[in-house]
Amino acid sequence: MSDKFRHVFGQAAKNDQCYDDIRVSRVTWDSTFCSVNPKFVAIIVEASGGGAFLVLPLHKTGRIDKSYPSVCGHTGPVLDIEWCPHNDQVIASGSEDCTVMVWQIPENGLVTPMAEPVVALEGHSKRVGIVAWHPTARNVLVSAGCDNMIIIWNVGTGEAMISLEDEHPDVIFSVSWNRNGSLLCTACKDKSIRVIDPRKDGEKIIAEKEKAHDGARPMRAIFLSDGNVLTTGFSRMSERQLALWNTHNMEEPMTVNEMDTSNGVLLPFYDPDTNVVYLCGKGDSSIRYFEITDEAPYVHFLNTFSSKEPQRGMGYMPKRGLDVNKCEIARFFKLHERKCEPIVMTVPRKSDLFQDDLYPDTAGPDPALEAEEWFEGKNGDPIKISLKNGYVPSKSREIKVNAENSAPSSKCATPAPSVVRDTFIIV
């Protein structure tokens, strides 16, 4: 393993760099409640009579006025949000109202409340707790609901293209794409983790491990860049665990690390460029981080960042949003009850030069495939960019949608005239 991450240094932002006076959602659902990209931070907030989230330009720190406009088109609490990796102004949300909505945020943020999504995706019969964009194909989105169902959407046409209805007998706790988006891995309340090939004819589950963790509390499963799966869960004695699995042979885990006995679900955040995993427990006041290597014991504890306040949720900045001049290797947006506090992880270096060992080329914003190509069976690896001169965002990109599927179904939105526009393409 490398020594360069042994000395990662975590530092919370000063008060004037935080986002204050935000009423973070109190919903009891184990999602991150926060999503960030190089332009915006989005936070699920308390809303009377519906569901809402704030979208703040990154520079809009300090006290956020109570009247600050929110995205408020859902009729039930919002449970999960995620920015599109291919367009920094597009965000998806899943809600208790059984819908998934996709929103286009104006270039400089919201000036008035936004109640009308670009497209409302309807197909779940119970609340939608998970949304995740495809890493390399444009306009492909997966959602998972408490109806034990996974739907893969072509957002451009508003259609549900693939429905996985029989693979999970119980509530799905997490869904993760692999690096090129050819496979999904899921963690389910029946204590199984499954690797699924969603486009395969016939039996779509290609690997499965029952009782990945013995405890009854929720698990999480994410793909690593080498195709292995990392899970967090609980032992029978309620100890928190971190385990690594080879998807070609899931009889036994490659390794299991016992952590502590706390009942907060561990949310894993993974950096494929450096193979570092950060674990943020809901209700914890710490972030632990580990390096994953391909030789036993595979998982190496690096350090813990601790603070006084427990976290309600956590946002994780994509690599292209980091400050390479400060040797920043990760930035978290920690949610308290009433504020959002950035936490910066840096590797101290004496030199002012670009540190290429810390910043190998990383996934850029351009998709490798169109939605149609992916649904036809093609795969594409992430298109990488160099961060040597810092990331320069491209100009704003409009999205358009086929309006037949985008009539808003929410109470606080005015129905759109049913004109047919172009199909929805992030240009």
Side-chain angles (χ1 to χ4, degrees):
M1 66 172 288
S2 59
D3 283 336
K4 61 186 172 219
F5 302 117
R6 283 232 168 269
H7 308 292
V8 171
F9 177 65
Q11 192 164 23
K14 297 188 169 61
N15 275 345
D16 61 346
Q17 293 303 304
C18 295
Y19 307 85
D20 269 317
D21 233 8
I22 294 167
R23 295 168 55 213
V24 175
S25 172
R26 306 180 103 80
V27 181
T28 51
W29 182 253
D30 290 315
S31 85
T32 59
F33 288 174
C34 181
S35 185
V36 290
N37 69 22
K39 281 188 178 173
F40 299 110
V41 51
I43 301 164
I44 303 176
V45 290
E46 282 289 286
S48 47
F53 57 95
L54 282 179
V55 174
L56 304 169
L58 282 188
H59 58 77
K60 189 170 172 49
T61 52
R63 193 177 157 275
I64 306 301
D65 200 275
K66 293 241 181 325
S67 62
Y68 195 85
S70 66
V71 179
C72 62
H74 283 287
T75 57
V78 177
L79 300 178
D80 197 20
I81 49 176
E82 188 173 81
W83 288 105
C84 173
H86 307 127
N87 185 330
D88 286 341
Q89 282 159 245
V90 172
I91 187 167
S93 55
S95 161
E96 280 193 15
D97 65 12
C98 309
T99 67
V100 175
M101 291 184 177
V102 176
W103 311 85
Q104 166 108 28
I105 305 300
E107 175 83 15
N108 301 314
L110 297 181
V111 188
T112 55
M114 182 174 273
E116 240 184 80
V118 181
V119 62
L121 304 171
E122 296 177 359
H124 285 286
S125 58
K126 290 190 177 169
R127 59 189 185 155
V128 181
I130 298 167
V131 289
W133 290 96
H134 192 286
T136 63
R138 193 196 314 265
N139 283 344
V140 176
L141 180 72
V142 68
S143 62
C146 293
D147 48 10
N148 313 342
M149 196 161 126
I150 288 177
I151 300 179
I152 303 178
W153 308 86
N154 180 342
V155 175
T157 59
E159 290 172 279
M161 302 294 288
I162 298 173
S163 292
L164 306 174
E165 298 176 30
D166 306 321
E167 282 72 10
H168 299 86
D170 212 327
V171 174
I172 299 157
F173 288 140
S174 77
V175 177
S176 162
W177 294 100
N178 67 348
R179 193 87 169 106
N180 70 357
S182 58
L183 300 172
L184 291 167
C185 74
T186 64
C188 177
K189 195 174 180 180
D190 69 352
K191 301 185 187 176
S192 291
I193 50 175
R194 295 173 176 85
V195 177
I196 293 170
D197 181 343
R199 294 169 299 179
K200 195 171 162 215
D201 292 334
E203 178 56 46
K204 296 184 189 309
I205 298 172
I206 59 171
E208 185 170 3
K209 173 62 183 171
E210 296 176 7
K211 284 208 170 164
H213 296 273
D214 288 328
R217 292 191 53 69
M219 303 190 301
R220 281 278 182 286
I222 57 168
F223 266 113
L224 304 183
S225 52
D226 58 7
N228 290 335
V229 167
L230 179 130
T231 60
T232 62
F234 295 80
S235 71
R236 194 177 282 114
M237 308 300 294
S238 292
E239 280 189 302
R240 294 199 288 192
Q241 295 176 321
L242 169 67
L244 201 57
W245 306 85
N246 179 334
T247 55
H248 301 296
N249 175 12
M250 295 182 79
E251 282 298 299
E252 292 297 321
M254 294 162 66
T255 177
V256 179
N257 286 33
E258 305 274 341
M259 311 268 242
D260 56 10
T261 49
S262 171
N263 55 10
V265 172
L266 286 166
L267 305 173
F269 295 94
Y270 172 61
D271 177 359
D273 306 331
T274 57
N275 264 318
V276 174
V277 169
Y278 301 86
L279 298 184
C280 306
K282 275 228 156 177
D284 288 13
S285 50
S286 62
I287 301 172
R288 293 182 175 83
Y289 35 110
F290 301 79
E291 187 174 5
I292 313 289
T293 60
D294 46 18
E295 290 172 9
Y298 307 113
V299 175
H300 307 268
F301 173 71
L302 291 172
N303 213 331
T304 302
F305 168 82
S306 295
S307 52
K308 293 192 179 72
E309 294 282 318
Q311 53 232 16
R312 297 279 293 270
M314 195 68 83
Y316 178 63
M317 176 67 80
K319 213 54 177 292
R320 56 194 173 87
L322 302 180
D323 187 342
V324 297
N325 301 323
K326 294 185 178 155
C327 295
E328 184 182 3
I329 61 159
R331 192 186 316 158
F332 291 91
F333 286 70
K334 171 179 166 176
L335 301 186
H336 302 238
E337 225 165 285
R338 298 296 300 238
K339 78 170 177 180
C340 171
E341 171 187 55
I343 293 166
V344 170
M345 303 280 187
T346 49
V347 175
R349 293 274 167 100
K350 289 194 171 70
S351 163
D352 289 340
L353 299 173
F354 178 72
Q355 308 289 319
D356 22 25
D357 63 325
L358 296 182
Y359 302 106
D361 287 359
T362 192
D366 290 329
L369 301 169
E370 297 301 326
E372 290 68 23
E373 295 178 291
W374 186 80
F375 286 113
E376 282 162 12
K378 282 192 185 159
N379 292 320
D381 288 327
I383 296 176
K384 295 188 173 181
I385 55 171
S386 165
L387 295 177
K388 188 156 190 165
N389 302 313
Y391 168 64
V392 183
S394 57
K395 290 194 288 292
S396 144
R397 299 182 286 184
E398 272 300 301
I399 55 176
K400 312 179 194 74
V401 95
N402 181 335
E404 288 169 68
N405 297 302
S406 66
S409 56
S410 84
K411 288 171 190 160
C412 80
T414 34
S418 57
V419 291
V420 177
R421 306 183 204 126
D422 302 334
T423 46
F424 167 54
I425 299 172
I426 303 172
V427 194

